[in-house]
Amino acid sequence: MRMFSLTMADPRRQGDGRTAAPSGTASNGLLAMQVGRWLAAGTRVGALCLAASGLPAQAALAAPAAPGSTTAASNTPASLFVRVRPAVIGVRTLREDTGELVSSGSGFFVDAQGRAVTNYHVVATALGSPGRYRLQAVLADGSTLPLRVLNFQVVDDLAVVQVDARTKSHLRLPGEDRRLEVGSRIHAFGDPERLGVTVTSGHFSSALRAIGLERIHFTGVLNDGMSGGPAVDARGEVVGVNAARMGSREQISFLVPAHRAAALYGAVVRGASVAPEAVGETKRGHLVAFQREVLDDAMRAPWSTQPRGPYQAPVFLTERLRCGSSRDTEITATGAPVPLLRQDYRCSTYQRIELDDGFSAGGLTYRQTYMKQQTVSRVQFNHAVQGAVTRGLLAQPGRRMARQVCTDRTTLAGLEAALPVRLLWCAQAYREFAGLYDVEIGVATRDRADEALVVRLSLEGVTWETATAYTKRLLETIR
């Protein structure tokens, strides 16, 4: 499950297949000895990993603190591990016919009635294909029980699930948004690679809201399989739900704020659940809401232009997107002019919405490329411009997407409609979500033989109205 900016910390191939197992193993005694030394020395361990299977003598760890206790011992990762671990569960997706493992993640009990919280993307495969897959909870004692989804929120990447068991070990969700201090300690729990419950530690860095998703930037490591597990503060209070990490960067991780999980759980307690036949329409509603919150807002926000050779290229002025340009290269290492001068600029949303099993929507990607012919031939230059317009634009139909429909024509851009451009416009409808499309827009100037500005815009899971509004504004801004 890969996204441009964020990669979910959820295994999709028996542990996600993206994180290699440790090259060596330590005996239980050696691991316990190392932990003892760390605690005795008072060392602040950035990512203290206490696998349940690796500590046979739990008595060596601090005993559970009494409720409300704020002693120094109760604030260590070791003591928090003892207190939090019984509430953490593994969440498995299994094939209905063979019982084979498809994916695994984590979750945690939030009441004594067996209700638990996890990530939506952890249960998405089974939720989307209930006849082919089923869900299973793995409790702290190793026992397994069936699990079913009560409600979910795609944009928040949350789900409330039901395990048919009463439990004395659960974590309380906060009733309101907690304001954490920058630098405060956070401990994330989960079941990575089915190795047993693990805790990694980091700090609260910032609360991100401008991106259209409420997320907490957590400086600790979220390993594959920890998705859906709880993140707690030094007092053991839930502050977030493990959700994602940024690409392959190990210490840029993201949590869903706990108050978002509390809101979904509260809706469930009040009787709000999603029937199996309503799953598709519910997901569509979440996508449309995200479009209005993020993509429509980016379209309505002020746009500016930046010079690209003789042209003015559109620039988004919104915090909803992250943007950057590549370094211009005008001469080779030998001092000779480059055959083709090229300047690139790119923007994208911070996160796409994971629907299920690697299928995402809700993203926006914007690219502008300025090219100037220097020593390449006219044929080579035209070929480069053609590639910038069409590369990656065409898509094939599939189980989820209908046949793509495209139009390719010459039109005029700019407020005065004076700049001749080529417009390549393609739309592909979602089979499951009526009225939503993936749209690819390519625009290339055609007024000069040796220079060109190419603009590409990709929109995922948008309405026809949003797609046409973006196209109109794009053409008006290019000049």
Side-chain angles (χ1 to χ4, degrees):
M1 246 185 318
R2 294 194 178 273
M3 295 180 289
F4 173 69
S5 58
L6 297 180
T7 302
M8 292 296 184
D10 168 48
R12 283 295 179 191
R13 293 176 296 280
Q14 295 196 19
D16 212 25
R18 292 199 307 270
T19 302
S23 57
T25 59
S27 67
N28 290 342
L30 178 58
L31 180 57
M33 187 181 302
Q34 290 171 335
V35 172
R37 289 171 180 169
W38 286 333
L39 297 178
T43 304
R44 298 184 68 85
V45 183
L48 178 61
C49 178
L50 303 175
S53 58
L55 291 176
Q58 292 292 346
L61 300 177
S69 172
T70 57
T71 63
S74 68
N75 294 338
T76 65
S79 60
L80 286 174
F81 178 83
V82 174
R83 293 161 56 192
V84 174
R85 177 184 176 273
V88 180
I89 62 173
V91 179
R92 310 282 190 256
T93 299
L94 309 175
R95 292 190 178 278
E96 186 69 72
D97 53 353
T98 65
E100 295 173 340
L101 179 69
V102 175
S103 65
S104 62
S106 302
F108 58 100
F109 286 117
V110 292
D111 64 25
Q113 286 70 48
R115 285 181 288 232
V117 165
T118 185
N119 285 143
Y120 163 78
H121 75 264
V122 170
V123 299
T125 298
L127 193 63
S129 303
R132 298 175 59 189
Y133 306 101
R134 58 184 172 88
L135 295 168
Q136 182 185 78
V138 182
L139 307 189
D141 61 4
S143 61
T144 60
L145 289 170
L147 178 153
R148 68 182 185 276
V149 178
L150 299 177
N151 207 335
F152 63 91
Q153 225 300 334
V154 173
V155 176
D156 284 334
D157 193 16
L158 291 171
V160 176
V161 298
Q162 178 70 58
V163 179
D164 292 329
R166 297 184 65 85
T167 174
K168 296 181 180 179
S169 300
H170 60 271
L171 303 177
R172 186 180 64 85
L173 293 171
E176 58 185 19
D177 187 10
R178 286 194 55 198
R179 301 295 178 179
L180 298 172
E181 293 185 3
V182 174
S184 58
R185 200 74 167 157
I186 295 177
H187 310 280
F189 291 77
D191 181 13
E193 305 286 358
R194 297 176 292 142
L195 293 175
V197 177
T198 295
V199 56
T200 65
S201 299
H203 298 88
F204 169 74
S205 178
S206 61
L208 305 176
R209 291 183 174 86
I211 64 175
L213 307 167
E214 285 196 63
R215 295 292 185 266
I216 292 172
H217 176 198
F218 165 60
T219 63
V221 177
L222 291 183
N223 294 308
D224 296 331
M226 293 182 69
S227 286
V232 304
D233 63 11
R235 295 176 297 181
E237 296 180 0
V238 179
V239 297
V241 181
N242 306 336
R245 64 169 180 260
M246 181 169 282
S248 60
R249 297 166 179 82
E250 291 188 348
Q251 289 184 296
I252 303 182
S253 303
F254 296 91
L255 314 171
V256 181
H259 76 95
R260 302 300 302 170
L264 184 62
Y265 169 72
V268 169
V269 171
R270 293 189 296 272
S273 61
V274 177
E277 61 273 14
V279 167
E281 188 59 30
T282 301
K283 289 192 285 187
R284 182 190 184 280
H286 294 165
L287 283 177
V288 172
F290 179 78
Q291 173 197 287
R292 292 171 179 164
E293 172 75 16
V294 178
L295 303 186
D296 288 1
D297 181 74
M299 192 264 297
R300 290 189 299 264
W303 288 21
S304 182
T305 60
Q306 60 187 178
R308 294 295 185 188
Y311 306 105
Q312 294 290 323
V315 177
F316 289 91
L317 299 180
T318 175
E319 294 180 331
R320 303 292 193 183
L321 308 176
R322 63 173 188 168
C323 302
S325 60
S326 61
R327 182 172 61 89
D328 300 339
T329 303
E330 299 185 12
I331 60 173
T332 65
T334 61
V338 293
L340 176 67
L341 176 64
R342 177 171 178 144
Q343 299 172 341
D344 292 288
Y345 178 82
R346 176 187 174 107
C347 296
S348 67
T349 47
Y350 282 80
Q351 184 169 341
R352 298 157 69 194
I353 305 304
E354 190 80 14
L355 294 174
D356 67 86
D357 198 18
F359 181 53
S360 303
L364 178 155
T365 303
Y366 171 70
R367 307 177 186 89
Q368 53 173 253
T369 302
Y370 166 69
M371 288 181 284
K372 182 176 182 179
Q373 178 188 1
Q374 301 208 106
T375 61
V376 296
S377 68
R378 184 63 51 78
V379 172
Q380 290 173 316
F381 177 74
N382 290 337
H383 181 73
V385 174
Q386 169 76 2
V389 176
T390 62
R391 187 174 297 113
L393 184 143
L394 301 179
Q396 297 299 317
R399 180 169 64 90
R400 295 184 173 95
M401 305 298 295
R403 183 175 64 88
Q404 190 181 52
V405 178
C406 297
T407 180
D408 189 351
R409 62 189 178 92
T410 298
T411 187
L412 297 174
L415 287 175
E416 296 79 21
L419 179 64
V421 297
R422 175 191 180 188
L423 173 63
L424 184 56
W425 201 94
C426 298
Q428 190 173 24
Y430 285 69
R431 297 187 187 278
E432 185 179 2
F433 311 128
L436 297 185
Y437 305 85
D438 281 356
V439 176
E440 296 282 351
I441 306 166
V443 181
T445 58
R446 305 191 67 171
D447 63 320
R448 296 171 182 262
D450 61 347
E451 292 179 272
L453 173 67
V454 176
V455 172
R456 284 283 305 274
L457 180 64
S458 301
L459 302 167
E460 297 176 337
V462 298
T463 61
W464 194 265
E465 292 74 19
T466 292
T468 54
Y470 263 104
T471 305
K472 181 176 182 293
R473 189 159 188 192
L474 199 65
L475 289 174
E476 289 176 347
T477 312
I478 297 172
R479 57 182 190 270

